[in-house]
Amino acid sequence: MKIIKWIDRYIEEVLLILISTVMVTVIVLQVFMRITGNSLTWSEELARYCFIWLVYIGISYGVKRQSHISIDVLTVFLKGKAHTVLLIISNLLFLVFCLFVVYYGYDIASTLLQFGQASPAMGIPMGLVYVATPLGFGLTIIRLIQQLVIQFKTLVSNEEGNIGVTEHKKSV
């Protein structure tokens, strides 16, 4: 149970740090190699693919932390249950979008894996790059469901305050 809680709390952070470290290291190595007159053929491609993975995992992390950019004109004026209901509707719409992206993202990634298309410089299957989309949005779905559970509990218990703020954000 401790492992599951740890994964729930830190999975995005660990993945983002690891991928960022790989990306920065490869870019620094490429700069150093160019200064010495050599060049790596695969470094830019790897950095690009790392960046793609960062973006999709970052979406999930943003939902987890409730830190996505949003227009909050209505939420400023609404209080109590109306505020909570608006947050629930917003997250439900986002959830529907995520389900759509996971469905079609998986379809595209599996098609590319079946065709066996490989990246030009590194030769890795392009389907692995495209798997970032359904995986990232799959993590986002989990985070949205967690937020919805908190929001529904808040709505039922008639509490006010930090509606939709995750346990992680409260502790930070």
mmCIF file with all atom_site columns, all heavy atoms in Angstrom, residues 50-74:
data_model
loop_
_atom_site.group_PDB
_atom_site.id
_atom_site.type_symbol
_atom_site.label_atom_id
_atom_site.label_alt_id
_atom_site.label_comp_id
_atom_site.label_asym_id
_atom_site.label_entity_id
_atom_site.label_seq_id
_atom_site.pdbx_PDB_ins_code
_atom_site.Cartn_x
_atom_site.Cartn_y
_atom_site.Cartn_z
_atom_site.occupancy
_atom_site.B_iso_or_equiv
_atom_site.pdbx_formal_charge
_atom_site.auth_seq_id
_atom_site.auth_comp_id
_atom_site.auth_asym_id
_atom_site.auth_atom_id
_atom_site.pdbx_PDB_model_num
ATOM 1   N N   . CYS A 1 50 ? 12.113  13.530 -25.963 1.00 0.00 ? 50 CYS A N   1
ATOM 2   C CA  . CYS A 1 50 ? 12.003  13.773 -24.517 1.00 0.00 ? 50 CYS A CA  1
ATOM 3   C C   . CYS A 1 50 ? 11.065  14.939 -24.237 1.00 0.00 ? 50 CYS A C   1
ATOM 4   O O   . CYS A 1 50 ? 10.252  14.883 -23.312 1.00 0.00 ? 50 CYS A O   1
ATOM 5   C CB  . CYS A 1 50 ? 13.381  14.060 -23.913 1.00 0.00 ? 50 CYS A CB  1
ATOM 6   S SG  . CYS A 1 50 ? 14.437  12.627 -23.736 1.00 0.00 ? 50 CYS A SG  1
ATOM 7   N N   . PHE A 1 51 ? 11.173  15.984 -25.047 1.00 0.00 ? 51 PHE A N   1
ATOM 8   C CA  . PHE A 1 51 ? 10.306  17.149 -24.865 1.00 0.00 ? 51 PHE A CA  1
ATOM 9   C C   . PHE A 1 51 ? 8.839   16.763 -25.084 1.00 0.00 ? 51 PHE A C   1
ATOM 10  O O   . PHE A 1 51 ? 7.965   17.200 -24.333 1.00 0.00 ? 51 PHE A O   1
ATOM 11  C CB  . PHE A 1 51 ? 10.716  18.274 -25.811 1.00 0.00 ? 51 PHE A CB  1
ATOM 12  C CG  . PHE A 1 51 ? 9.938   19.532 -25.591 1.00 0.00 ? 51 PHE A CG  1
ATOM 13  C CD1 . PHE A 1 51 ? 10.178  20.316 -24.476 1.00 0.00 ? 51 PHE A CD1 1
ATOM 14  C CD2 . PHE A 1 51 ? 8.971   19.932 -26.488 1.00 0.00 ? 51 PHE A CD2 1
ATOM 15  C CE1 . PHE A 1 51 ? 9.461   21.477 -24.262 1.00 0.00 ? 51 PHE A CE1 1
ATOM 16  C CE2 . PHE A 1 51 ? 8.243   21.090 -26.285 1.00 0.00 ? 51 PHE A CE2 1
ATOM 17  C CZ  . PHE A 1 51 ? 8.488   21.864 -25.168 1.00 0.00 ? 51 PHE A CZ  1
ATOM 18  N N   . ILE A 1 52 ? 8.572   15.944 -26.071 1.00 0.00 ? 52 ILE A N   1
ATOM 19  C CA  . ILE A 1 52 ? 7.197   15.485 -26.330 1.00 0.00 ? 52 ILE A CA  1
ATOM 20  C C   . ILE A 1 52 ? 6.661   14.744 -25.110 1.00 0.00 ? 52 ILE A C   1
ATOM 21  O O   . ILE A 1 52 ? 5.542   14.996 -24.651 1.00 0.00 ? 52 ILE A O   1
ATOM 22  C CB  . ILE A 1 52 ? 7.153   14.596 -27.596 1.00 0.00 ? 52 ILE A CB  1
ATOM 23  C CG1 . ILE A 1 52 ? 7.415   15.445 -28.839 1.00 0.00 ? 52 ILE A CG1 1
ATOM 24  C CG2 . ILE A 1 52 ? 5.820   13.853 -27.703 1.00 0.00 ? 52 ILE A CG2 1
ATOM 25  C CD1 . ILE A 1 52 ? 7.683   14.643 -30.099 1.00 0.00 ? 52 ILE A CD1 1
ATOM 26  N N   . TRP A 1 53 ? 7.450   13.840 -24.561 1.00 0.00 ? 53 TRP A N   1
ATOM 27  C CA  . TRP A 1 53 ? 7.025   13.105 -23.368 1.00 0.00 ? 53 TRP A CA  1
ATOM 28  C C   . TRP A 1 53 ? 6.825   14.040 -22.179 1.00 0.00 ? 53 TRP A C   1
ATOM 29  O O   . TRP A 1 53 ? 5.899   13.875 -21.392 1.00 0.00 ? 53 TRP A O   1
ATOM 30  C CB  . TRP A 1 53 ? 8.042   12.001 -23.039 1.00 0.00 ? 53 TRP A CB  1
ATOM 31  C CG  . TRP A 1 53 ? 7.777   10.750 -23.820 1.00 0.00 ? 53 TRP A CG  1
ATOM 32  C CD1 . TRP A 1 53 ? 8.178   10.485 -25.091 1.00 0.00 ? 53 TRP A CD1 1
ATOM 33  C CD2 . TRP A 1 53 ? 7.017   9.626  -23.392 1.00 0.00 ? 53 TRP A CD2 1
ATOM 34  N NE1 . TRP A 1 53 ? 7.720   9.245  -25.474 1.00 0.00 ? 53 TRP A NE1 1
ATOM 35  C CE2 . TRP A 1 53 ? 7.015   8.700  -24.448 1.00 0.00 ? 53 TRP A CE2 1
ATOM 36  C CE3 . TRP A 1 53 ? 6.361   9.309  -22.219 1.00 0.00 ? 53 TRP A CE3 1
ATOM 37  C CZ2 . TRP A 1 53 ? 6.358   7.481  -24.363 1.00 0.00 ? 53 TRP A CZ2 1
ATOM 38  C CZ3 . TRP A 1 53 ? 5.716   8.085  -22.133 1.00 0.00 ? 53 TRP A CZ3 1
ATOM 39  C CH2 . TRP A 1 53 ? 5.719   7.196  -23.195 1.00 0.00 ? 53 TRP A CH2 1
ATOM 40  N N   . LEU A 1 54 ? 7.708   15.043 -22.044 1.00 0.00 ? 54 LEU A N   1
ATOM 41  C CA  . LEU A 1 54 ? 7.565   16.020 -20.956 1.00 0.00 ? 54 LEU A CA  1
ATOM 42  C C   . LEU A 1 54 ? 6.227   16.746 -21.032 1.00 0.00 ? 54 LEU A C   1
ATOM 43  O O   . LEU A 1 54 ? 5.576   16.962 -20.010 1.00 0.00 ? 54 LEU A O   1
ATOM 44  C CB  . LEU A 1 54 ? 8.693   17.055 -21.021 1.00 0.00 ? 54 LEU A CB  1
ATOM 45  C CG  . LEU A 1 54 ? 10.028  16.663 -20.448 1.00 0.00 ? 54 LEU A CG  1
ATOM 46  C CD1 . LEU A 1 54 ? 11.076  17.734 -20.756 1.00 0.00 ? 54 LEU A CD1 1
ATOM 47  C CD2 . LEU A 1 54 ? 9.932   16.453 -18.959 1.00 0.00 ? 54 LEU A CD2 1
ATOM 48  N N   . VAL A 1 55 ? 5.840   17.130 -22.222 1.00 0.00 ? 55 VAL A N   1
ATOM 49  C CA  . VAL A 1 55 ? 4.589   17.867 -22.392 1.00 0.00 ? 55 VAL A CA  1
ATOM 50  C C   . VAL A 1 55 ? 3.398   17.030 -21.934 1.00 0.00 ? 55 VAL A C   1
ATOM 51  O O   . VAL A 1 55 ? 2.557   17.492 -21.154 1.00 0.00 ? 55 VAL A O   1
ATOM 52  C CB  . VAL A 1 55 ? 4.407   18.312 -23.860 1.00 0.00 ? 55 VAL A CB  1
ATOM 53  C CG1 . VAL A 1 55 ? 3.002   18.811 -24.122 1.00 0.00 ? 55 VAL A CG1 1
ATOM 54  C CG2 . VAL A 1 55 ? 5.432   19.382 -24.217 1.00 0.00 ? 55 VAL A CG2 1
ATOM 55  N N   . TYR A 1 56 ? 3.327   15.798 -22.378 1.00 0.00 ? 56 TYR A N   1
ATOM 56  C CA  . TYR A 1 56 ? 2.159   14.974 -22.058 1.00 0.00 ? 56 TYR A CA  1
ATOM 57  C C   . TYR A 1 56 ? 2.115   14.558 -20.593 1.00 0.00 ? 56 TYR A C   1
ATOM 58  O O   . TYR A 1 56 ? 1.038   14.493 -20.000 1.00 0.00 ? 56 TYR A O   1
ATOM 59  C CB  . TYR A 1 56 ? 2.078   13.762 -22.992 1.00 0.00 ? 56 TYR A CB  1
ATOM 60  C CG  . TYR A 1 56 ? 1.639   14.166 -24.372 1.00 0.00 ? 56 TYR A CG  1
ATOM 61  C CD1 . TYR A 1 56 ? 2.497   14.092 -25.458 1.00 0.00 ? 56 TYR A CD1 1
ATOM 62  C CD2 . TYR A 1 56 ? 0.356   14.651 -24.594 1.00 0.00 ? 56 TYR A CD2 1
ATOM 63  C CE1 . TYR A 1 56 ? 2.091   14.478 -26.721 1.00 0.00 ? 56 TYR A CE1 1
ATOM 64  C CE2 . TYR A 1 56 ? -0.058  15.038 -25.849 1.00 0.00 ? 56 TYR A CE2 1
ATOM 65  C CZ  . TYR A 1 56 ? 0.816   14.946 -26.907 1.00 0.00 ? 56 TYR A CZ  1
ATOM 66  O OH  . TYR A 1 56 ? 0.417   15.341 -28.150 1.00 0.00 ? 56 TYR A OH  1
ATOM 67  N N   . ILE A 1 57 ? 3.244   14.290 -20.001 1.00 0.00 ? 57 ILE A N   1
ATOM 68  C CA  . ILE A 1 57 ? 3.257   13.973 -18.574 1.00 0.00 ? 57 ILE A CA  1
ATOM 69  C C   . ILE A 1 57 ? 3.005   15.248 -17.763 1.00 0.00 ? 57 ILE A C   1
ATOM 70  O O   . ILE A 1 57 ? 2.373   15.222 -16.712 1.00 0.00 ? 57 ILE A O   1
ATOM 71  C CB  . ILE A 1 57 ? 4.572   13.275 -18.176 1.00 0.00 ? 57 ILE A CB  1
ATOM 72  C CG1 . ILE A 1 57 ? 4.647   11.909 -18.870 1.00 0.00 ? 57 ILE A CG1 1
ATOM 73  C CG2 . ILE A 1 57 ? 4.671   13.101 -16.668 1.00 0.00 ? 57 ILE A CG2 1
ATOM 74  C CD1 . ILE A 1 57 ? 5.968   11.213 -18.754 1.00 0.00 ? 57 ILE A CD1 1
ATOM 75  N N   . GLY A 1 58 ? 3.479   16.367 -18.279 1.00 0.00 ? 58 GLY A N   1
ATOM 76  C CA  . GLY A 1 58 ? 3.256   17.653 -17.620 1.00 0.00 ? 58 GLY A CA  1
ATOM 77  C C   . GLY A 1 58 ? 1.783   18.032 -17.544 1.00 0.00 ? 58 GLY A C   1
ATOM 78  O O   . GLY A 1 58 ? 1.354   18.708 -16.604 1.00 0.00 ? 58 GLY A O   1
ATOM 79  N N   . ILE A 1 59 ? 0.990   17.607 -18.516 1.00 0.00 ? 59 ILE A N   1
ATOM 80  C CA  . ILE A 1 59 ? -0.452  17.866 -18.464 1.00 0.00 ? 59 ILE A CA  1
ATOM 81  C C   . ILE A 1 59 ? -1.047  17.200 -17.235 1.00 0.00 ? 59 ILE A C   1
ATOM 82  O O   . ILE A 1 59 ? -1.819  17.811 -16.485 1.00 0.00 ? 59 ILE A O   1
ATOM 83  C CB  . ILE A 1 59 ? -1.142  17.373 -19.760 1.00 0.00 ? 59 ILE A CB  1
ATOM 84  C CG1 . ILE A 1 59 ? -0.684  18.198 -20.963 1.00 0.00 ? 59 ILE A CG1 1
ATOM 85  C CG2 . ILE A 1 59 ? -2.669  17.427 -19.624 1.00 0.00 ? 59 ILE A CG2 1
ATOM 86  C CD1 . ILE A 1 59 ? -1.106  17.621 -22.294 1.00 0.00 ? 59 ILE A CD1 1
ATOM 87  N N   . SER A 1 60 ? -0.687  15.959 -17.013 1.00 0.00 ? 60 SER A N   1
ATOM 88  C CA  . SER A 1 60 ? -1.167  15.242 -15.836 1.00 0.00 ? 60 SER A CA  1
ATOM 89  C C   . SER A 1 60 ? -0.707  15.919 -14.549 1.00 0.00 ? 60 SER A C   1
ATOM 90  O O   . SER A 1 60 ? -1.480  16.058 -13.596 1.00 0.00 ? 60 SER A O   1
ATOM 91  C CB  . SER A 1 60 ? -0.673  13.793 -15.871 1.00 0.00 ? 60 SER A CB  1
ATOM 92  O OG  . SER A 1 60 ? -0.986  13.126 -14.682 1.00 0.00 ? 60 SER A OG  1
ATOM 93  N N   . TYR A 1 61 ? 0.543   16.342 -14.523 1.00 0.00 ? 61 TYR A N   1
ATOM 94  C CA  . TYR A 1 61 ? 1.076   17.009 -13.342 1.00 0.00 ? 61 TYR A CA  1
ATOM 95  C C   . TYR A 1 61 ? 0.336   18.318 -13.073 1.00 0.00 ? 61 TYR A C   1
ATOM 96  O O   . TYR A 1 61 ? 0.049   18.658 -11.926 1.00 0.00 ? 61 TYR A O   1
ATOM 97  C CB  . TYR A 1 61 ? 2.572   17.260 -13.524 1.00 0.00 ? 61 TYR A CB  1
ATOM 98  C CG  . TYR A 1 61 ? 3.244   17.831 -12.309 1.00 0.00 ? 61 TYR A CG  1
ATOM 99  C CD1 . TYR A 1 61 ? 3.348   17.105 -11.131 1.00 0.00 ? 61 TYR A CD1 1
ATOM 100 C CD2 . TYR A 1 61 ? 3.786   19.111 -12.334 1.00 0.00 ? 61 TYR A CD2 1
ATOM 101 C CE1 . TYR A 1 61 ? 3.968   17.623 -10.011 1.00 0.00 ? 61 TYR A CE1 1
ATOM 102 C CE2 . TYR A 1 61 ? 4.412   19.642 -11.226 1.00 0.00 ? 61 TYR A CE2 1
ATOM 103 C CZ  . TYR A 1 61 ? 4.492   18.897 -10.069 1.00 0.00 ? 61 TYR A CZ  1
ATOM 104 O OH  . TYR A 1 61 ? 5.104   19.417 -8.962  1.00 0.00 ? 61 TYR A OH  1
ATOM 105 N N   . GLY A 1 62 ? 0.007   19.040 -14.131 1.00 0.00 ? 62 GLY A N   1
ATOM 106 C CA  . GLY A 1 62 ? -0.755  20.281 -13.975 1.00 0.00 ? 62 GLY A CA  1
ATOM 107 C C   . GLY A 1 62 ? -2.132  20.048 -13.396 1.00 0.00 ? 62 GLY A C   1
ATOM 108 O O   . GLY A 1 62 ? -2.612  20.817 -12.553 1.00 0.00 ? 62 GLY A O   1
ATOM 109 N N   . VAL A 1 63 ? -2.783  18.968 -13.823 1.00 0.00 ? 63 VAL A N   1
ATOM 110 C CA  . VAL A 1 63 ? -4.102  18.629 -13.266 1.00 0.00 ? 63 VAL A CA  1
ATOM 111 C C   . VAL A 1 63 ? -3.952  18.225 -11.805 1.00 0.00 ? 63 VAL A C   1
ATOM 112 O O   . VAL A 1 63 ? -4.744  18.633 -10.954 1.00 0.00 ? 63 VAL A O   1
ATOM 113 C CB  . VAL A 1 63 ? -4.780  17.506 -14.088 1.00 0.00 ? 63 VAL A CB  1
ATOM 114 C CG1 . VAL A 1 63 ? -6.008  16.972 -13.384 1.00 0.00 ? 63 VAL A CG1 1
ATOM 115 C CG2 . VAL A 1 63 ? -5.138  18.011 -15.476 1.00 0.00 ? 63 VAL A CG2 1
ATOM 116 N N   . LYS A 1 64 ? -2.950  17.452 -11.515 1.00 0.00 ? 64 LYS A N   1
ATOM 117 C CA  . LYS A 1 64 ? -2.714  17.011 -10.135 1.00 0.00 ? 64 LYS A CA  1
ATOM 118 C C   . LYS A 1 64 ? -2.529  18.199 -9.204  1.00 0.00 ? 64 LYS A C   1
ATOM 119 O O   . LYS A 1 64 ? -3.069  18.229 -8.103  1.00 0.00 ? 64 LYS A O   1
ATOM 120 C CB  . LYS A 1 64 ? -1.474  16.119 -10.108 1.00 0.00 ? 64 LYS A CB  1
ATOM 121 C CG  . LYS A 1 64 ? -1.038  15.672 -8.741  1.00 0.00 ? 64 LYS A CG  1
ATOM 122 C CD  . LYS A 1 64 ? 0.226   14.845 -8.867  1.00 0.00 ? 64 LYS A CD  1
ATOM 123 C CE  . LYS A 1 64 ? 0.859   14.579 -7.546  1.00 0.00 ? 64 LYS A CE  1
ATOM 124 N NZ  . LYS A 1 64 ? 2.109   13.843 -7.687  1.00 0.00 ? 64 LYS A NZ  1
ATOM 125 N N   . ARG A 1 65 ? -1.780  19.194 -9.647  1.00 0.00 ? 65 ARG A N   1
ATOM 126 C CA  . ARG A 1 65 ? -1.503  20.372 -8.830  1.00 0.00 ? 65 ARG A CA  1
ATOM 127 C C   . ARG A 1 65 ? -2.550  21.473 -8.982  1.00 0.00 ? 65 ARG A C   1
ATOM 128 O O   . ARG A 1 65 ? -2.447  22.505 -8.330  1.00 0.00 ? 65 ARG A O   1
ATOM 129 C CB  . ARG A 1 65 ? -0.129  20.949 -9.200  1.00 0.00 ? 65 ARG A CB  1
ATOM 130 C CG  . ARG A 1 65 ? 1.049   20.037 -8.962  1.00 0.00 ? 65 ARG A CG  1
ATOM 131 C CD  . ARG A 1 65 ? 1.445   19.976 -7.516  1.00 0.00 ? 65 ARG A CD  1
ATOM 132 N NE  . ARG A 1 65 ? 1.562   21.280 -6.930  1.00 0.00 ? 65 ARG A NE  1
ATOM 133 C CZ  . ARG A 1 65 ? 2.673   21.926 -6.671  1.00 0.00 ? 65 ARG A CZ  1
ATOM 134 N NH1 . ARG A 1 65 ? 3.821   21.374 -6.970  1.00 0.00 ? 65 ARG A NH1 1
ATOM 135 N NH2 . ARG A 1 65 ? 2.670   23.112 -6.110  1.00 0.00 ? 65 ARG A NH2 1
ATOM 136 N N   . GLN A 1 66 ? -3.528  21.266 -9.845  1.00 0.00 ? 66 GLN A N   1
ATOM 137 C CA  . GLN A 1 66 ? -4.549  22.283 -10.137 1.00 0.00 ? 66 GLN A CA  1
ATOM 138 C C   . GLN A 1 66 ? -3.891  23.597 -10.539 1.00 0.00 ? 66 GLN A C   1
ATOM 139 O O   . GLN A 1 66 ? -4.251  24.671 -10.048 1.00 0.00 ? 66 GLN A O   1
ATOM 140 C CB  . GLN A 1 66 ? -5.461  22.493 -8.920  1.00 0.00 ? 66 GLN A CB  1
ATOM 141 C CG  . GLN A 1 66 ? -6.373  21.330 -8.613  1.00 0.00 ? 66 GLN A CG  1
ATOM 142 C CD  . GLN A 1 66 ? -7.488  21.199 -9.631  1.00 0.00 ? 66 GLN A CD  1
ATOM 143 O OE1 . GLN A 1 66 ? -8.312  22.076 -9.755  1.00 0.00 ? 66 GLN A OE1 1
ATOM 144 N NE2 . GLN A 1 66 ? -7.495  20.110 -10.356 1.00 0.00 ? 66 GLN A NE2 1
ATOM 145 N N   . SER A 1 67 ? -2.918  23.513 -11.440 1.00 0.00 ? 67 SER A N   1
ATOM 146 C CA  . SER A 1 67 ? -2.160  24.704 -11.803 1.00 0.00 ? 67 SER A CA  1
ATOM 147 C C   . SER A 1 67 ? -2.176  25.013 -13.291 1.00 0.00 ? 67 SER A C   1
ATOM 148 O O   . SER A 1 67 ? -1.296  25.692 -13.790 1.00 0.00 ? 67 SER A O   1
ATOM 149 C CB  . SER A 1 67 ? -0.716  24.558 -11.320 1.00 0.00 ? 67 SER A CB  1
ATOM 150 O OG  . SER A 1 67 ? -0.114  23.422 -11.886 1.00 0.00 ? 67 SER A OG  1
ATOM 151 N N   . HIS A 1 68 ? -3.176  24.496 -14.011 1.00 0.00 ? 68 HIS A N   1
ATOM 152 C CA  . HIS A 1 68 ? -3.308  24.846 -15.417 1.00 0.00 ? 68 HIS A CA  1
ATOM 153 C C   . HIS A 1 68 ? -3.850  26.260 -15.544 1.00 0.00 ? 68 HIS A C   1
ATOM 154 O O   . HIS A 1 68 ? -4.595  26.743 -14.689 1.00 0.00 ? 68 HIS A O   1
ATOM 155 C CB  . HIS A 1 68 ? -4.254  23.877 -16.137 1.00 0.00 ? 68 HIS A CB  1
ATOM 156 C CG  . HIS A 1 68 ? -3.584  22.609 -16.552 1.00 0.00 ? 68 HIS A CG  1
ATOM 157 N ND1 . HIS A 1 68 ? -2.643  22.563 -17.553 1.00 0.00 ? 68 HIS A ND1 1
ATOM 158 C CD2 . HIS A 1 68 ? -3.709  21.343 -16.112 1.00 0.00 ? 68 HIS A CD2 1
ATOM 159 C CE1 . HIS A 1 68 ? -2.226  21.335 -17.709 1.00 0.00 ? 68 HIS A CE1 1
ATOM 160 N NE2 . HIS A 1 68 ? -2.851  20.564 -16.829 1.00 0.00 ? 68 HIS A NE2 1
ATOM 161 N N   . ILE A 1 69 ? -3.481  26.893 -16.621 1.00 0.00 ? 69 ILE A N   1
ATOM 162 C CA  . ILE A 1 69 ? -4.010  28.223 -16.905 1.00 0.00 ? 69 ILE A CA  1
ATOM 163 C C   . ILE A 1 69 ? -5.501  28.085 -17.163 1.00 0.00 ? 69 ILE A C   1
ATOM 164 O O   . ILE A 1 69 ? -5.944  27.193 -17.883 1.00 0.00 ? 69 ILE A O   1
ATOM 165 C CB  . ILE A 1 69 ? -3.312  28.825 -18.134 1.00 0.00 ? 69 ILE A CB  1
ATOM 166 C CG1 . ILE A 1 69 ? -1.842  29.045 -17.841 1.00 0.00 ? 69 ILE A CG1 1
ATOM 167 C CG2 . ILE A 1 69 ? -3.982  30.121 -18.560 1.00 0.00 ? 69 ILE A CG2 1
ATOM 168 C CD1 . ILE A 1 69 ? -1.030  29.475 -19.047 1.00 0.00 ? 69 ILE A CD1 1
ATOM 169 N N   . SER A 1 70 ? -6.282  28.976 -16.557 1.00 0.00 ? 70 SER A N   1
ATOM 170 C CA  . SER A 1 70 ? -7.724  28.908 -16.765 1.00 0.00 ? 70 SER A CA  1
ATOM 171 C C   . SER A 1 70 ? -8.322  30.305 -16.674 1.00 0.00 ? 70 SER A C   1
ATOM 172 O O   . SER A 1 70 ? -7.716  31.219 -16.124 1.00 0.00 ? 70 SER A O   1
ATOM 173 C CB  . SER A 1 70 ? -8.377  27.999 -15.717 1.00 0.00 ? 70 SER A CB  1
ATOM 174 O OG  . SER A 1 70 ? -8.169  28.518 -14.427 1.00 0.00 ? 70 SER A OG  1
ATOM 175 N N   . ILE A 1 71 ? -9.497  30.420 -17.228 1.00 0.00 ? 71 ILE A N   1
ATOM 176 C CA  . ILE A 1 71 ? -10.255 31.660 -17.124 1.00 0.00 ? 71 ILE A CA  1
ATOM 177 C C   . ILE A 1 71 ? -11.190 31.484 -15.943 1.00 0.00 ? 71 ILE A C   1
ATOM 178 O O   . ILE A 1 71 ? -12.060 30.617 -15.950 1.00 0.00 ? 71 ILE A O   1
ATOM 179 C CB  . ILE A 1 71 ? -11.030 31.947 -18.421 1.00 0.00 ? 71 ILE A CB  1
ATOM 180 C CG1 . ILE A 1 71 ? -10.049 32.069 -19.577 1.00 0.00 ? 71 ILE A CG1 1
ATOM 181 C CG2 . ILE A 1 71 ? -11.880 33.198 -18.266 1.00 0.00 ? 71 ILE A CG2 1
ATOM 182 C CD1 . ILE A 1 71 ? -10.686 32.145 -20.928 1.00 0.00 ? 71 ILE A CD1 1
ATOM 183 N N   . ASP A 1 72 ? -11.007 32.312 -14.934 1.00 0.00 ? 72 ASP A N   1
ATOM 184 C CA  . ASP A 1 72 ? -11.745 32.098 -13.686 1.00 0.00 ? 72 ASP A CA  1
ATOM 185 C C   . ASP A 1 72 ? -12.735 33.217 -13.367 1.00 0.00 ? 72 ASP A C   1
ATOM 186 O O   . ASP A 1 72 ? -13.043 33.461 -12.213 1.00 0.00 ? 72 ASP A O   1
ATOM 187 C CB  . ASP A 1 72 ? -10.777 31.884 -12.527 1.00 0.00 ? 72 ASP A CB  1
ATOM 188 C CG  . ASP A 1 72 ? -9.859  33.075 -12.291 1.00 0.00 ? 72 ASP A CG  1
ATOM 189 O OD1 . ASP A 1 72 ? -9.911  34.031 -13.065 1.00 0.00 ? 72 ASP A OD1 1
ATOM 190 O OD2 . ASP A 1 72 ? -9.089  33.017 -11.323 1.00 0.00 ? 72 ASP A OD2 1
ATOM 191 N N   . VAL A 1 73 ? -13.257 33.861 -14.398 1.00 0.00 ? 73 VAL A N   1
ATOM 192 C CA  . VAL A 1 73 ? -14.204 34.954 -14.170 1.00 0.00 ? 73 VAL A CA  1
ATOM 193 C C   . VAL A 1 73 ? -15.422 34.458 -13.406 1.00 0.00 ? 73 VAL A C   1
ATOM 194 O O   . VAL A 1 73 ? -15.842 35.069 -12.413 1.00 0.00 ? 73 VAL A O   1
ATOM 195 C CB  . VAL A 1 73 ? -14.620 35.593 -15.518 1.00 0.00 ? 73 VAL A CB  1
ATOM 196 C CG1 . VAL A 1 73 ? -15.721 36.611 -15.317 1.00 0.00 ? 73 VAL A CG1 1
ATOM 197 C CG2 . VAL A 1 73 ? -13.428 36.221 -16.192 1.00 0.00 ? 73 VAL A CG2 1
ATOM 198 N N   . LEU A 1 74 ? -15.996 33.344 -13.842 1.00 0.00 ? 74 LEU A N   1
ATOM 199 C CA  . LEU A 1 74 ? -17.188 32.821 -13.172 1.00 0.00 ? 74 LEU A CA  1
ATOM 200 C C   . LEU A 1 74 ? -16.878 32.302 -11.773 1.00 0.00 ? 74 LEU A C   1
ATOM 201 O O   . LEU A 1 74 ? -17.674 32.492 -10.852 1.00 0.00 ? 74 LEU A O   1
ATOM 202 C CB  . LEU A 1 74 ? -17.834 31.715 -13.997 1.00 0.00 ? 74 LEU A CB  1
ATOM 203 C CG  . LEU A 1 74 ? -18.585 32.169 -15.240 1.00 0.00 ? 74 LEU A CG  1
ATOM 204 C CD1 . LEU A 1 74 ? -19.082 30.962 -16.023 1.00 0.00 ? 74 LEU A CD1 1
ATOM 205 C CD2 . LEU A 1 74 ? -19.738 33.072 -14.880 1.00 0.00 ? 74 LEU A CD2 1
#
